[in-house]
Amino acid sequence: PVKLSKEKTYNFLEPEIFAKFIGKIKDYKSNHPNPYLIKLMLKFLCFGGLRADEVQHIKEDDISFRNMNKKDYMQIYILGKGNKERFVYILFDLVKDEYVNYLKVKKEKNHIIDYLFYTRDIKMFSDKRIYDIVKLFHESTNLDVPNFTTHTLRRSYASFLHYSGVKLET
């Protein structure tokens, strides 16, 4: 028999652990033909609070730039759960190095694909593969977080904003 608990356990990283996790992204070594792709994907998950399937479907044309409050933001069109459309904004300074280098390598290697994140065979990632990438990266950080998934990053992003004073409704 399965013992069911009425208590839900919400798995997220405390702000200081989340910051450590993000700090480890810059040193991550990937064997993907575009070494900046995985780092950029991890930062999109961390700084955008995106679901794995949302990241999976981002196309280069979905990205534009906006200046708000004298800061540059990456504006990303997302078709989310239930086909709900929205924009996600990421402070460009947080992803600038990875994004610029990613585009440079993609152009140099002539990787032609509409999707922002792609496999070494130049095909769209499956959401399962994105889960695996995040899991492998998490294991490389040596941060002891049980049941770690891509959704842990989504919850961590929301929790970090909440701790920073952003209203839950926002």
Side-chain angles (χ1 to χ4, degrees):
V2 176
K3 184 177 181 181
L4 296 176
S5 169
K6 290 188 179 187
E7 270 186 55
K8 283 189 175 182
T9 55
Y10 294 100
N11 196 17
F12 65 96
L13 304 176
E14 293 292 338
E16 56 278 353
I17 302 294
F18 192 43
K20 283 181 187 177
F21 182 88
I22 291 166
K24 293 184 181 274
I25 293 173
K26 68 178 171 150
D27 297 326
Y28 187 61
K29 302 284 187 248
S30 166
N31 57 8
H32 190 280
N34 189 334
Y36 300 97
L37 183 140
I38 302 299
K39 293 178 184 185
L40 184 62
M41 180 192 299
L42 289 165
K43 284 192 169 186
F44 267 49
L45 289 162
C46 290
F47 297 132
L50 299 167
R51 294 177 178 92
D53 65 324
E54 293 170 344
V55 167
Q56 172 190 14
H57 290 97
I58 296 173
K59 294 183 178 179
E60 283 194 44
D61 292 346
D62 293 336
I63 296 175
S64 57
F65 294 88
R66 288 195 57 188
N67 187 288
M68 298 182 288
N69 301 325
K70 299 181 182 178
K71 293 181 181 180
D72 291 326
Y73 285 85
M74 198 177 238
Q75 177 181 274
I76 308 160
Y77 168 79
I78 300 293
L79 184 61
K81 196 173 178 180
N83 288 328
K84 291 181 185 170
E85 297 176 302
R86 72 179 192 280
F87 285 105
V88 170
Y89 296 91
I90 297 176
L91 185 63
F92 188 53
D93 284 346
L94 296 173
V95 296
K96 185 177 183 176
D97 291 341
E98 289 82 7
Y99 185 69
V100 168
N101 288 316
Y102 157 86
L103 290 176
K104 184 178 165 187
V105 170
K106 185 176 180 187
K107 185 176 181 180
E108 285 172 2
K109 296 195 176 197
N110 200 26
H111 291 169
I112 299 169
I113 184 168
D114 289 338
Y115 292 100
L116 189 64
F117 302 111
Y118 55 90
T119 66
R120 45 180 109 243
D121 298 332
I122 320 300
K123 294 185 169 109
M124 180 178 78
F125 273 119
S126 68
D127 55 349
K128 168 80 170 94
R129 182 65 187 131
I130 293 171
Y131 294 131
D132 292 345
I133 288 167
V134 170
K135 192 99 169 153
L136 285 169
F137 177 73
H138 168 252
E139 289 168 2
S140 77
T141 65
N142 295 321
L143 297 173
D144 185 29
V145 180
N147 305 318
F148 191 90
T149 68
T150 56
H151 220 72
T152 304
L153 296 177
R154 182 172 167 79
R155 287 189 202 103
S156 300
Y157 170 78
S159 298
F160 186 76
L161 289 177
H162 178 64
Y163 290 139
S164 299
V166 176
K167 293 179 185 175
L168 284 174
E169 297 80 28
T170 304

